[in-house]
Amino acid sequence: MIYTVECSFADPASEEEWNRFYSMDKLPALISVQGFRSSQRFRALTPGCPTYLAAHAIDSLDVLTGEEYQRKGGGNFARWQQHITDWHRNLYAGLTLMPEVGEEDLLLLTTAGPDLLQQLGAAPCIIEAVALAKNPPLRWLATIARAHMPDLARLPAAVHAYAPMTPRLTPNPAPKG
């Protein structure tokens, strides 16, 4: 399942510090929770969507209701809460692991069906909201090399482009021996 958290941040004076906290502290804490398979954070390059997107592959909704998630990652950003706007959480079925989006790639999301992504030369995957906000109910996502993207100003308004802010994190394997 894919767990997404989307938001914008309304305090430019503390936004850099908040981003450092989220990327350097929160994501590594989340990926250490049993049942988290990957985590990656993105910044929107196009208007009409929240500025930030965190996408996590998790085993099930139970991961998000568990004590370990509450202790390590869920809700541990009270200091920043007053500045977080346009906040949405969704749990999607359809993928077991988010595609890795490298530094030279972009993540594309749309609710308008797969055709727009296919026209850009991307291979879309569909995900369906099954828990939390359940809005939007369906999304198509794809990765694309930045070099193959048209000018963002010419991108259809229904397609949102995101640049990775972090590499995709995965749990550390158990040490051998």
Side-chain angles (χ1 to χ4, degrees), residues 6 8 44-51 86 139 157-160 162:
E6 298 171 77
S8 294
L45 299 176
T46 51
C49 59
T51 305
D86 204 12
R139 274 183 154 167
V159 176
H160 299 292
Y162 295 85

Side-chain angles (χ1 to χ4, degrees), residues 56-131:
H56 316 276
I58 65 171
D59 288 343
S60 69
L61 179 60
D62 294 340
V63 173
L64 302 179
T65 60
E67 183 274 330
E68 185 181 16
Y69 171 75
Q70 295 302 317
R71 182 171 36 87
K72 290 183 175 180
N76 69 357
F77 52 92
R79 172 179 175 200
W80 315 105
Q81 194 71 39
Q82 65 184 335
H83 305 301
I84 296 171
T85 63
D86 204 12
W87 185 68
H88 311 279
R89 296 185 324 144
N90 279 291
L91 187 61
Y92 292 98
L95 287 177
T96 56
L97 196 61
M98 276 292 292
E100 184 167 5
V101 183
E103 288 181 22
E104 300 301 317
D105 301 322
L106 296 176
L107 175 67
L108 303 177
L109 287 173
T110 187
T111 59
D115 294 348
L116 291 175
L117 299 180
Q118 290 168 337
Q119 290 167 12
L120 293 168
C125 299
I126 187 172
I127 53 176
E128 179 181 3
V130 295

